Amino acid sequence: MSLTAFSIANFKAFAASQRIPLRPITLIYGANSSGKSSAIHALALAHHAIETGDLDIQRPRIGGEAIDLGGFRQYVHRREWARQVELGFELDPTRLNGSGAELVSAAREIRVELAIGKGFASEQQTLFGDKARAFDPDGATRVERFALDVDGEFLLAMSARRGRLLGMDRLEPGHAIIRDLCRRRLNQFNIGQESKEVAFDTYERALNFLVPNVTASNRGLFPRIENVPETNAAHAEVRDRVVHDFIPLDALRDLMEGIGVALEDELGRLHYLGPLRSYTPRHLAFSQHHDPNRFAGGGYAWDVVRDNPEVRSLVNQWLGDSERLKTPYELQVRDLLQADMVSGEVPAKLRKAMHDLLASLLSRMDARELIDLKVLADRRAEQIAELDPEDEEDLIPDIEELLSSMSDEGEISDRWVEEMVAARSDAIQQLVLVDKRTGTPVSHRDVGIGVSQVLPVLVSAYASNNKLLAIEQPEIHLHPALQAELGDVFLESALGDNGNTFLIETHSEHLLLRILRRIRETTDGELPEGSLPVQPYQVAVLFVQPGAHDTEVIEIPVTPEGEFERTWPGGFFTERAEELF
């Protein structure tokens, strides 16, 4: 992912800006109601705004029933609607593609900052102005401010205008990117070196003239420059015309377009799994697909397991592994056929089977044998008429044995089922748990709630590729050993071929201990076979600490020895020692 971190301010529990790094594995800890879920909810807000353009959000689509922001008046810090919610996003320029990417190819970091507010700032109000804002409590919730930094240096700022537009307030003429662009553009003009130097010396005056007329659309989350003013050459001297024309506002438009597309793509990778997974119906084939909590609650995961044999195999390994869930169950797919479908097709198939059997029998006989068979059949008809149904000496078993030797009932029945399923597009596939000890199919509702809670977590890890997976409390309803095993699942999914990024809100000490153990084993060269090496920079451990007036996100650095560089704030994870000693 090119998105390396994000920050939030004036959002729910957070007042001052707090930075959340995005590593392959980012773990968020904190006491209950500390605000640790707010980081994930901020991403859900951004994701929804990109999809719909709506910032006054009640329930983000991606959050199902688990996230209820309640609208701007509820999610803004302390319900103070005059505040502005601030979101920041950090990008790795080397991973950008498309429009404008080459302009920042030599940069190290891009930071986008925007503020969401309710009300209207007049056209005279700028990002750096001193005038009081004129708020309208019934106004639209929208992006009020936008700023862009490259390599820690300010590049540009925009603020709200009438008509759902953003106007450019400032473009830093001394920024290395702008100066380099201007020099390259100026070199394309067929003018003397002296004229070039004069033009470049006066380009800041041209910027001051053009910048206030640059506007961007304010629909959604990331603005796009729509209007780049043109020079009226008929009313300008040659020198001024050159100055105006070499200012690279079109290149700047491409850069903002490219950054906007990149951020939308990155946030579009977000997949959210809430803290309480759906307890799906006993008969999965008839579950409600219009359930608004289908994705956030993990109900979709059962369909993935049913339709994806590779994922089903990985989940089955986890269910039956002696070191993991240790259950005697296996997930299997079974086809369900309607009764009227079977009753309508079986007679015809039976007639065809009898015809094929008779044809096979006759094809093996020569003319003399066929005549003998006709005589035998006539004689046998007379004998059958005289048979006593209770007579054990009749010849019917002999004939049945002969016919059985010429056919395979199991093969015929399997072929019939395959043909009937293939012929009907409305055949239903049912996912069932099979007790491997007895072959008995059972429902997930018969084996405890733990399976239904962990399966969506496993599917998220196994079936996702290049996703940003935000998961709340993956350890719910799992005993400590299994919580530790989830650590290996996340590491494999993040550092292996799947290439996922995990943002996990958790209380599990065991999950963390397993990841620290793998870091230590990597350093010592003692990794178990099949485990992937893990470096400290690939893991971020965050602690959310509430205070009297604000909430702080504290990163706890990890050493190559799998230990913490600092003590946990507030004695977190000291409960075990307190209880034991």
Side-chain angles (χ1 to χ4, degrees):
M1 291 185 64
S2 59
L3 182 62
T4 59
F6 68 98
S7 60
I8 49 180
N10 288 326
F11 179 76
K12 301 186 74 171
F14 300 102
S17 181
Q18 302 296 319
R19 183 177 182 272
I20 294 90
L22 289 176
R23 313 275 173 77
I25 304 285
T26 298
L27 302 172
I28 305 178
Y29 288 88
N32 289 334
S33 301
S34 62
K36 57 187 181 296
S37 297
S38 297
I40 293 177
H41 293 182
L43 288 180
L45 165 66
H47 183 277
H48 186 92
I50 288 171
E51 282 195 339
T52 68
D54 181 18
L55 290 165
D56 197 11
I57 301 169
Q58 301 288 326
R59 290 179 179 269
R61 289 179 179 177
I62 200 172
E65 296 178 351
I67 303 178
D68 185 351
L69 296 178
F72 178 82
R73 288 174 178 266
Q74 294 297 312
Y75 67 71
V76 68
H77 183 64
R78 292 191 175 182
R79 314 293 191 268
E80 296 175 0
W81 59 265
R83 291 177 180 260
Q84 293 183 345
V85 172
E86 299 175 8
L87 300 177
F89 302 93
E90 297 175 20
L91 288 168
D92 180 354
T94 63
R95 300 182 185 180
L96 293 182
N97 296 307
S99 178
E102 64 177 281
L103 304 180
V104 290
S105 58
R108 300 180 305 277
E109 178 188 276
I110 296 174
R111 177 173 174 79
V112 170
E113 298 178 358
L114 53 89
I116 300 168
K118 196 174 187 65
F120 174 73
S122 66
E123 294 187 13
Q124 289 74 36
Q125 175 70 28
T126 68
L127 187 66
F128 305 96
D130 298 325
K131 298 181 180 179
R133 290 172 53 84
F135 289 106
D136 177 5
D138 298 320
T141 303
R142 63 177 186 172
V143 174
E144 292 283 328
R145 293 185 288 116
F146 175 87
L148 178 63
D149 293 355
V150 178
D151 288 341
E153 297 182 4
F154 172 83
L155 180 62
L156 65 86
M158 310 186 81
S159 61
R161 301 290 193 270
R162 295 187 183 276
R164 297 186 67 86
L165 292 175
L166 288 170
M168 189 171 290
D169 298 319
R170 180 182 168 197
L171 178 64
E172 178 52 56
H175 197 286
I177 287 180
I178 300 299
R179 295 182 69 87
D180 182 59
L181 279 172
C182 290
R183 287 190 182 280
R184 283 191 287 172
R185 179 67 61 85
L186 188 59
N187 287 334
Q188 298 174 6
F189 288 89
N190 187 23
I191 59 176
Q193 184 62 33
E194 182 179 351
S195 296
K196 288 181 181 179
E197 292 176 358
V198 171
F200 192 79
D201 287 342
T202 58
Y203 90 106
E204 186 170 348
R205 177 169 58 85
L207 281 178
N208 292 334
F209 173 78
L210 294 174
V211 162
N213 299 302
V214 177
T215 58
S217 62
N218 189 12
R219 305 179 190 280
L221 195 60
F222 302 110
R224 305 287 204 276
I225 291 180
E226 291 184 339
N227 176 52
V228 175
E230 298 181 358
T231 301
N232 185 351
H235 296 84
E237 298 179 2
V238 174
R239 180 183 300 172
D240 289 335
R241 185 169 68 249
V242 170
V243 171
H244 288 125
D245 289 348
F246 86 82
I247 300 299
L249 291 180
D250 54 343
L252 192 64
R253 175 181 56 201
D254 293 341
L255 175 60
M256 285 189 60
E257 175 73 19
I259 291 174
V261 169
L263 282 169
E264 289 171 353
D265 179 64
E266 294 293 274
L267 292 172
R269 299 170 189 259
L270 179 66
H271 176 82
Y272 170 75
L273 189 60
L276 295 174
R277 267 66 85 184
S278 300
Y279 201 25
T280 52
R282 175 174 292 273
H283 299 291
L284 295 168
F286 306 104
S287 60
Q288 297 296 315
H289 285 200
H290 60 267
D291 178 6
N293 207 42
R294 178 171 169 73
F295 288 96
Y300 80 100
W302 297 92
D303 290 344
V304 174
V305 173
R306 180 192 62 199
D307 299 335
N308 190 321
E310 182 179 353
V311 173
R312 185 165 64 249
S313 175
L314 292 170
V315 172
N316 279 332
Q317 291 177 28
W318 221 82
L319 291 177
D321 193 298
S322 60
E323 300 298 324
R324 292 176 176 173
L325 209 54
K326 305 178 184 179
T327 71
Y329 302 108
E330 181 179 79
L331 285 161
Q332 295 183 6
V333 175
R334 296 193 171 184
D335 295 302
L336 304 180
L337 300 176
Q338 298 177 7
D340 58 349
M341 172 183 171
V342 176
S343 62
E345 294 194 22
V346 166
K349 291 184 179 295
L350 180 60
R351 286 193 297 271
K352 184 177 185 303
M354 295 299 293
H355 177 274
D356 293 344
L357 181 61
L358 179 59
S360 175
L361 178 63
L362 296 178
S363 67
R364 302 181 186 187
M365 299 180 178
D366 56 24
R368 184 62 207 174
E369 289 174 324
L370 289 173
I371 294 174
D372 291 343
L373 179 63
K374 177 66 169 66
V375 174
L376 177 62
D378 292 342
R379 186 182 308 150
R380 184 63 184 150
E382 297 174 0
Q383 294 174 343
I384 291 175
E386 299 174 357
L387 283 177
D388 180 354
E390 304 297 330
D391 188 354
E392 297 180 358
E393 300 299 324
D394 67 64
L395 298 179
I396 291 179
D398 298 331
I399 297 175
E400 289 178 340
E401 182 178 353
L402 173 64
L403 295 178
S404 296
S405 68
M406 299 176 63
S407 62
D408 185 335
E409 296 92 337
E411 180 183 352
I412 292 175
S413 62
D414 289 344
R415 187 174 70 250
W416 285 5
V417 171
E418 291 176 3
E419 290 174 353
M420 285 188 286
V421 171
R424 295 292 294 267
S425 61
D426 57 349
I428 298 173
Q429 288 190 317
Q430 169 77 323
L431 185 70
V432 297
L433 279 168
V434 175
D435 190 327
K436 292 183 289 187
R437 297 166 299 187
T438 63
T440 304
V442 298
S443 169
H444 61 286
R445 291 208 170 225
D446 299 321
V447 298
I449 197 172
V451 171
S452 70
Q453 296 301 290
V454 75
L455 184 136
V457 177
L458 297 176
V459 170
S460 293
Y462 292 144
S464 302
N465 293 281
N466 298 313
K467 298 293 186 182
L468 172 55
L469 301 174
I471 304 177
E472 294 193 56
Q473 299 183 43
E475 74 276 9
I476 192 170
H477 289 293
L478 293 181
H479 62 71
L482 281 182
Q483 294 178 28
E485 290 296 333
L486 279 181
D488 282 330
V489 172
F490 296 146
L491 288 172
E492 178 185 354
S493 180
L495 305 180
D497 293 337
N498 294 66
N500 293 307
T501 299
F502 287 89
L503 181 62
I504 300 172
E505 181 268 311
T506 178
H507 293 110
S508 175
E509 180 183 11
H510 306 282
L511 168 62
L512 175 59
L513 290 175
R514 174 59 58 88
I515 293 175
L516 295 177
R517 171 183 170 182
R518 296 299 183 228
I519 293 175
R520 181 174 65 253
E521 290 171 341
T522 298
T523 301
D524 296 341
E526 299 176 351
L527 273 175
E529 183 179 356
S531 296
L532 296 173
V534 192
Q535 302 296 333
Y537 70 84
Q538 295 173 315
V539 177
V541 181
L542 309 178
F543 180 77
V544 178
Q545 178 170 269
H549 304 288
D550 198 1
T551 297
E552 183 181 7
V553 176
I554 303 171
E555 183 170 1
I556 314 294
V558 176
T559 70
E561 291 72 34
E563 299 176 351
F564 297 117
E565 289 187 1
R566 55 164 293 176
T567 58
W568 281 78
F572 202 71
F573 284 153
T574 62
E575 296 84 359
R576 177 172 20 178
E578 290 176 357
E579 294 298 326
L580 289 174
F581 306 110

